[in-house]
Amino acid sequence: MSAPLDIVILGLSLSSSWGNGHATTYRALLRGLAEEGHKVLFLERDVPWYAPHRDLPAPDFCELQLYDDPAAMLDRHRDRLTRADAVMVGSYVPDGVQIIDALHALNPQLLCFYDIDTPVTLDRLDQGDEEYLAARQVGLFDIYFSFSGGAVLEHLEKQRGARRAEALYCAVDADRYGPMDVKQRWDLGYLGTYSPDRQPTLEALLLEPARLLPDRRFVVAGPQYPDDIDWPENVERIEHLPPARHVEFYNGQAFTLNVTRAAMRRMGWSPSVRLFEAGACATPIISDDWRGLNELFPDGEAIVIAQDTQDVVAALTGLSDPARRALGENARRRVLAEHTGRARARELARVLHGARADRMERT
């Protein structure tokens, strides 16, 4: 176990998982950091759309502070921010550009960025959209941690000006996700907030199979879906599924579907937290295709990679039950070995310790 670190994270949300995947990513990572003996202060903007949906208002693995005014928050925590071993700003933080500039002016020990949306961030920057990160700020960080790995890291350093880019994939809390002995309610399910660029894939890989297999049962859980979607009668809708119910949800499916945002598919090496959650539950996964997926979960061994509707129908109707279960068990072994919150916390601590040592040598 490495020497304890004092880390301050400014993220989109830790307290509410409603309408965002950031909260579950942070929760797994921060629990892992606590288990490794590290100390974390998480600073979260108090916004009205999360306030009624806080499913973790008082975490027991870190200190959580809500704030209204960024300037007042920075002033209140100035000593902690300058004293901490590392300060990390996450993607989609409200007023992120102003906060990053203010933090850089404070000259913390290490200033880092955690991009949980790397391909989306880069697409936005290319379009001149600097909602939470300005293009000029990429080079301000000592380390740019990226949700996406592979060639994206070289791109960040050589094309975007990052001083150092490191992959920090999302992870799953292995103590909270695992197989359960529950009734199988659905043949195929999907968990995810509505996104226009994911919807065509959801149509092809779940809604169309549901129409072709009217005797099978399907489910889509997640908020913000438009009223004009034509849901087949055999597709159940769940508007919001809090993390406490994810395990039972995954275990109630014969297969679960993973759908990736278009920008992340194009860039590759961008595994969703849903992949690791389902894998930890040993729920067989059907996923759309992108670079790097076959290396993380080999096709036909630990996952079914579907190119179209017929691939999904073939999996639902053609795979034997032992073959289906083997997919889930193989995925679980891979997740527990490499993609838990504690494993990810160790990766983060190793990089931060190395960066601190390098900085001390330079000074």
Side-chain angles (χ1 to χ4, degrees), residues 102-156:
L103 287 170
H104 184 255
L106 288 178
N107 192 29
Q109 302 296 313
L110 288 174
L111 180 59
C112 308
F113 190 69
Y114 187 15
D115 200 340
I116 301 177
D117 309 274
T118 309
V120 176
T121 299
L122 298 183
D123 270 5
R124 282 173 170 257
L125 293 180
D126 287 342
Q127 296 163 20
D129 183 340
E130 299 186 332
E131 177 188 358
Y132 54 86
L133 175 72
R136 62 176 173 80
Q137 293 177 322
V138 173
L140 297 182
F141 302 105
D142 295 287
I143 309 166
Y144 193 117
F145 289 102
S146 171
F147 175 95
S148 303
V152 177
L153 304 178
E154 183 178 0
H155 173 82
L156 283 165

Side-chain angles (χ1 to χ4, degrees), residues 1 56 74-75 84 87 92 101 105 118 143 164 172 196 233 302 306 308 322 326 339 354 357 361:
M1 189 175 290
L56 190 67
L74 291 168
D75 186 61
V87 176
Y92 274 98
D101 282 341
T118 309
I143 309 166
R164 177 179 178 180
V172 64
E233 290 185 3
D308 54 28
H339 303 296
E361 284 183 8

Side-chain angles (χ1 to χ4, degrees), residues 179-194:
M180 289 177 64
D181 185 16
V182 298
K183 179 182 178 183
Q184 190 178 105
R185 298 177 57 187
W186 306 287
D187 294 279
L188 178 65
Y190 172 71
L191 173 59
T193 301
Y194 172 78

Side-chain angles (χ1 to χ4, degrees), residues 105-273:
L106 288 178
N107 192 29
Q109 302 296 313
L110 288 174
L111 180 59
C112 308
F113 190 69
Y114 187 15
D115 200 340
I116 301 177
D117 309 274
T118 309
V120 176
T121 299
L122 298 183
D123 270 5
R124 282 173 170 257
L125 293 180
D126 287 342
Q127 296 163 20
D129 183 340
E130 299 186 332
E131 177 188 358
Y132 54 86
L133 175 72
R136 62 176 173 80
Q137 293 177 322
V138 173
L140 297 182
F141 302 105
D142 295 287
I143 309 166
Y144 193 117
F145 289 102
S146 171
F147 175 95
S148 303
V152 177
L153 304 178
E154 183 178 0
H155 173 82
L156 283 165
E157 292 179 349
K158 293 190 174 179
Q159 305 298 323
R160 304 285 177 161
R163 296 188 216 169
R164 177 179 178 180
E166 295 279 350
L168 190 66
Y169 295 135
C170 54
V172 64
D173 188 338
D175 292 335
R176 287 166 170 77
Y177 288 83
M180 289 177 64
D181 185 16
V182 298
K183 179 182 178 183
Q184 190 178 105
R185 298 177 57 187
W186 306 287
D187 294 279
L188 178 65
Y190 172 71
L191 173 59
T193 301
Y194 172 78
S195 175
D197 62 348
R198 276 195 298 244
Q199 193 59 25
T201 306
L202 183 63
E203 288 276 349
L205 302 187
L206 190 144
L207 300 190
E208 190 56 30
R211 295 184 184 103
L212 294 173
L213 302 170
D215 58 328
R216 301 295 183 106
R217 297 159 299 168
F218 300 79
V219 61
V220 173
Q224 303 177 20
Y225 285 83
D227 294 334
D228 60 357
I229 293 178
D230 179 20
W231 299 104
E233 290 185 3
N234 56 337
V235 176
E236 182 179 343
R237 275 285 293 125
I238 301 173
E239 180 64 21
H240 174 59
L241 194 75
R245 294 177 55 199
H246 284 189
V247 177
E248 184 176 1
F249 180 74
Y250 287 121
N251 277 277
Q253 303 169 49
F255 288 91
T256 198
L257 177 66
N258 177 69
V259 177
T260 312
R261 294 193 66 173
M264 294 179 176
R265 271 204 318 274
R266 286 195 300 273
M267 204 157 280
W269 292 97
S270 300
S272 162
V273 68

